Amino acid sequence: MDPLSLLQLPRASRPPLPLAAAAAPLRCRRLNVSGGARPVPRRLQRRPARLSVSAVATETPRTEEEQPSPSPSGKERFDWLDQWYPFAPVCDLDPHAPHGKTVLGLSVVAWYDRGAGEWRVFDDACPHRLAPLSEGRIDDKGRLQCVYHGWCFDGAGACKFIPQAPALGPPVHTNPKACVASYPCVVQNNILWFYPRADPEHKDVLQRKRPPLIPEIDDPEFVTVYGIRDLPYGYDVLIENLLDPAHVPYAHKGIIRGIRKKEDPGRYVPDLTRVSSLMFGIANEVVLPVHRILEYDKEGGGPAKMKIEQANIQGFVSPQERGYFQFIAPCTSLAAPFPEEDKKKKVPRVMLVFFCIPVAAGRSRVIWAFPRNIGVWLHHITPRWLYHVGQNLVLDSDIFLLHVEERKFAAAGLDNWQKACYVPTSADSMVVAFRNWFRKFSKNQIGWATPQIDQVPPTPTKDQLMERYWSHVVQCTSCSAALKAMKALEVVLQVASVAVVGFLAVAKGTLVTSTVQRAAVVSAAVLCFAASRWLANFIQKNFYFQDYIHAYK
């Protein structure tokens, strides 16, 4: 199966794909990890990739001894703290309340500074007694207030008010110990990003380095669906899964249909017919080949030709027949069609952009953004929560698989990944390329911002593992509003069913005299009650928990 066929895109001519250029919407633009679009030099377009590697052999995987060894040089060690990390889509952040999240093992809080008209990201701990500021509020002066003792902080993290300090006493609120660490942050592509170093020398980090920019998201001809969800498995498993399109028709069977490529001639097998004969007085069973039939599975899987280009510390690119995949370390993974050559031709384009965030050992978070320039009118009339119903089902369908897989990786040791896993086909190229990157440049370890227990948590029950409310709904303004409205409607329907029955009892023999009228009233009560039960089931499955049993798909 051609992995990019999942995007349902027309084939376009393929431009060269240097790492920084792979996400450009036009040939003259490239994805810029510094945040801007600039022309690709002609010499760079014509020159072959400096480092082009095949991630995996087509017959057998390379042994551990054949894999490139981790570089002993400190210059080639990936610096996890010198990166930008996405916090959340801005559409899911309420400017009237603080929001707390864990990123890279660091507890942070985002809040909107009305005075400056900007979002801020602080340490999620009040310097007084370390109470979480994410449980606080925005006061009437637009400051972040800790609700434990009422300390207030401005947009720079400086303490502006301590209620317990006498007004005529020493200005204890000006002491540096009363300040909260404030991290550099920026809104880009409608997502709030922050840089996990609060030291003064990193205050102007935006002038040196910006988050990866996806130009299509800001293009007025495109519309984008955003989403966010916490996942019960680690960052490396999340990245590996998103770079593995071969699993889609199997793990997501019944949700995403596989699209079979051209017939693979090697899959023809003889159709054998058995016939009985009597030769020399002895009964024989003779097998005769009659014709050849095509062997395939109904899910639509098949060989995928993949290669890896521009593999280095910044990530890699994998060109496909209809587009490309790209991994930009540490968070960004995207799948896109090749950009059209002619600006005047409006070629339908859909991109799958994922931002993968390490949260803690055995925990990660994904933010997705799906920009497209087709079906724009449909986007404007479809509520975002309705998109999330299907997108969460896709995530649910492989959560348990990946959760268990991670624990088996941990038992074998990530340093032994190439020995524990058998990855003989080209379809695994991007998975192997990521594992090589993770091992070579990070020694199979995440550079956490705070000390972490290097142990995955125990496996909970399946309903806890695949729950949607805390992992998604409370973080999504659209789904939270839809859940609230549906619960209210459920109550209305239940009250209506009881009221209709009560009306029938009171009005019997007066207003409701005929059998037809009584039947109509009873039917209305039954319909209201049935609708309330259906709605309750819909709420449970789409906002709390829905099991996914692969055997019955």
Side-chain angles (χ1 to χ4, degrees):
M1 183 187 72
D2 177 13
L4 267 297
S5 64
L6 298 173
L7 297 177
Q8 300 285 332
L9 296 164
R11 184 173 179 178
S13 57
R14 186 176 74 188
L17 281 173
L19 176 64
L26 300 173
R27 192 173 183 178
C28 63
R29 300 179 72 182
R30 62 176 178 174
L31 183 63
N32 180 8
V33 295
S34 298
R38 55 181 183 269
V40 181
R42 185 172 300 275
R43 60 180 177 82
L44 186 56
Q45 292 181 1
R46 295 181 178 178
R47 187 175 59 187
R50 183 179 62 180
L51 180 59
S52 179
V53 297
S54 174
V56 63
T58 55
E59 292 84 13
T60 56
R62 292 184 295 175
T63 63
E64 182 70 19
E65 289 73 23
E66 295 171 327
Q67 299 285 348
S69 58
S71 171
S73 172
K75 296 180 180 179
E76 287 295 303
R77 186 69 185 265
F78 187 76
D79 188 351
W80 290 83
L81 295 180
D82 188 27
Q83 312 295 331
W84 287 90
Y85 292 88
F87 185 91
V90 174
C91 60
D92 288 324
L93 296 176
D94 182 359
H96 304 291
H99 303 267
K101 293 190 187 301
T102 301
V103 177
L104 207 66
L106 191 68
S107 295
V108 291
V109 57
W111 64 286
Y112 188 70
D113 182 4
R114 294 201 306 265
E118 296 178 355
W119 286 94
R120 309 291 189 185
V121 177
F122 287 0
D123 255 340
D124 192 12
C126 178
H128 178 213
R129 299 265 290 279
L130 306 184
L133 292 172
S134 56
E135 293 296 321
R137 64 174 68 93
I138 311 300
D139 72 0
D140 56 355
K141 294 182 174 60
R143 303 172 299 193
L144 178 61
Q145 183 186 67
C146 176
V147 294
Y148 193 23
H149 292 91
W151 288 32
C152 296
F153 306 91
D154 66 7
C159 183
K160 290 298 182 182
F161 180 56
I162 299 178
Q164 296 77 24
L168 300 179
V172 292
H173 67 280
T174 61
N175 191 299
K177 291 184 177 180
C179 296
V180 180
S182 177
Y183 298 98
C185 59
V186 64
V187 174
Q188 181 172 285
N189 288 146
N190 301 315
I191 294 174
L192 176 62
W193 297 73
F194 84 101
Y195 185 84
R197 285 176 172 170
D199 306 303
E201 59 265 30
H202 301 294
K203 181 180 180 181
D204 299 324
V205 65
L206 273 171
Q207 299 179 9
R208 173 179 63 86
K209 185 173 189 175
R210 294 185 67 92
L213 175 68
I214 312 296
E216 286 85 348
I217 293 179
D218 295 332
D219 191 328
E221 294 186 357
F222 282 73
V223 291
T224 303
V225 177
Y226 294 92
I228 183 171
R229 184 164 179 182
D230 284 5
L231 299 167
Y233 47 82
Y235 156 88
D236 57 316
V237 177
L238 172 59
I239 292 281
E240 176 184 297
N241 186 55
L242 294 175
L243 294 175
D244 177 26
H247 83 280
V248 170
Y250 302 97
H252 307 309
K253 185 179 179 181
I255 309 172
I256 302 176
R257 181 180 299 177
I259 303 175
R260 192 173 298 110
K261 280 187 63 177
K262 295 176 292 185
E263 295 179 354
D264 179 9
R267 290 185 176 229
Y268 281 95
V269 297
D271 181 17
L272 303 180
T273 301
R274 295 181 178 271
V275 297
S276 297
S277 64
L278 188 62
M279 300 179 64
F280 303 103
I282 302 174
N284 261 356
E285 195 175 57
V286 182
V287 180
L288 300 175
V290 178
H291 59 278
R292 297 170 70 83
I293 60 174
L294 178 64
E295 180 188 32
Y296 61 88
D297 55 39
K298 62 182 180 180
E299 288 83 5
K305 296 180 180 179
M306 292 188 182
K307 60 180 179 178
I308 304 300
E309 296 180 352
Q310 297 288 329
N312 54 45
I313 195 170
Q314 297 177 2
F316 54 83
V317 175
S318 178
Q320 311 290 318
E321 182 180 354
R322 301 189 183 190
Y324 64 92
F325 286 85
Q326 184 175 12
F327 167 61
I328 305 171
C331 295
T332 307
S333 169
L334 60 90
F338 290 116
E340 60 270 26
E341 295 292 326
D342 188 351
K343 282 186 178 182
K344 297 180 181 179
K345 295 180 181 179
K346 187 178 179 181
V347 178
R349 302 188 70 231
V350 180
M351 294 182 67
L352 307 180
V353 183
F354 299 95
F355 302 104
C356 307
I357 305 150
V359 174
R363 293 171 53 206
S364 60
R365 182 178 303 115
V366 61
I367 296 173
W368 62 87
F370 298 159
R372 68 177 190 269
N373 64 353
I374 55 176
V376 175
W377 64 273
L378 185 63
H379 173 84
H380 293 301
I381 64 174
T382 305
R384 190 163 64 106
W385 67 265
L386 195 56
Y387 287 110
H388 290 174
V389 167
Q391 291 160 356
N392 276 307
L393 186 58
V394 173
L395 292 172
D396 282 341
S397 58
D398 58 14
I399 275 182
F400 186 74
L401 303 177
L402 299 173
H403 180 85
V404 173
E405 178 182 282
E406 179 180 34
R407 277 136 189 82
K408 292 183 178 180
F409 287 165
L414 287 182
D415 292 337
N416 298 318
W417 187 92
Q418 281 84 358
K419 292 181 179 179
C421 298
Y422 179 56
V423 282
T425 69
S426 177
D428 294 309
S429 295
M430 289 192 293
V431 173
V432 177
F434 168 71
R435 286 296 174 183
N436 287 342
W437 176 89
F438 195 43
R439 177 180 49 81
K440 179 178 180 181
F441 300 112
S442 196
K443 296 185 178 180
N444 293 318
Q445 296 177 349
I446 295 173
W448 302 105
T450 58
Q452 295 288 306
I453 299 176
D454 189 18
Q455 183 177 357
V456 293
T459 299
T461 59
K462 206 171 184 182
D463 59 337
Q464 294 174 321
L465 194 65
M466 298 170 61
E467 68 83 24
R468 292 189 186 179
Y469 182 76
W470 293 106
S471 64
H472 170 74
V473 174
V474 296
Q475 302 185 69
C476 174
T477 54
S478 178
C479 289
S480 296
L483 177 60
K484 184 178 180 180
M486 289 182 191
K487 282 187 171 181
L489 179 58
E490 181 188 357
V491 173
V492 169
L493 290 171
Q494 291 174 352
V495 171
S497 65
V498 174
V500 170
V501 172
F503 170 77
L504 179 62
V506 172
K508 185 177 182 181
T510 56
L511 296 177
V512 182
T513 56
S514 69
T515 303
V516 174
Q517 289 175 332
R518 286 195 295 271
V521 173
V522 171
S523 297
V526 171
L527 286 175
C528 286
F529 180 77
S532 71
R533 293 297 84 207
W534 178 89
L535 187 58
N537 183 60
F538 180 86
I539 290 173
Q540 174 64 24
K541 289 197 305 181
N542 293 289
F543 296 95
Y544 289 96
F545 166 72
Q546 180 176 2
D547 199 0
Y548 187 94
I549 304 175
H550 291 266
Y552 299 118
K553 298 297 181 179

